[in-house]
């Protein structure tokens, strides 16, 4: 089930489809749109969350992780940058949770190819809890 999230930051110039794609993908994470997310990843997707003791491998395990994350509600997301080139991309910024916690994030992406229909093959996520007084 999705919920409303305030999204700020990176403006779209209309000339970078993968940049908009990554923005939409991250917005889907923030709002809990697991159907959209799962439609965008390859069957053999790999998700590394730096600092965790495991790697999520394959679409089934990825879906299970998304399901486990549904209890965490995001109230706001701010993008500092979204960068894409060929079959790679990254996004960074901050996420404010409904419980008041704020996280800094940087995700690095590898697509199955450089084309418009490419799916996400690898995600490496760096997430840190920020002090409550950070802006």
């Amino acid at each position: 089930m999705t919920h409303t999230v305030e999204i700020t930051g990176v403006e779209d110039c209309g000339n970078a489809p993968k940049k908009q794609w990554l923005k939409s993908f991250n917005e889907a994470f923030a709002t809990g749109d697991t159907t959209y997310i799962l439609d965008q990843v390859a069957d053999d997707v790999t998700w590394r969350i730096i600092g965790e003791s495991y790697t999520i491998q394959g679409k089934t395990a990825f879906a299970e992780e998304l399901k486990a994350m549904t209890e965490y509600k995001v109230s706001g997301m701010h993008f500092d940058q979204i960068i894409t080139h060929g079959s790679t991309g990254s996004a960074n910024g901050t996420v404010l949770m409904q419980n008041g916690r704020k996280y800094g994030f940087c995700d690095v992406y590898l697509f199955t190819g450089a084309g418009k229909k490419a799916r996400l093959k690898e995600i490496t996520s760096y997430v840190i809890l920020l002090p409550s007084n950070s802006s």
Side-chain angles (χ1 to χ4, degrees), residues 38-53:
L38 291 172
D39 285 345
Q40 307 309 311
V41 299
D43 290 339
D44 62 344
V45 65
T46 299
W47 187 15
R48 290 178 201 83
I49 304 170
I50 303 304
E52 298 293 328
S53 59

Side-chain angles (χ1 to χ4, degrees), residues 78-99:
H78 176 80
F79 291 101
D80 291 327
Q81 289 96 22
I82 299 175
I83 303 167
T84 64
H85 184 74
S87 62
T88 62
S90 68
N92 74 300
T94 54
V95 174
L96 179 62
M97 307 302 288
Q98 286 182 355
N99 66 9

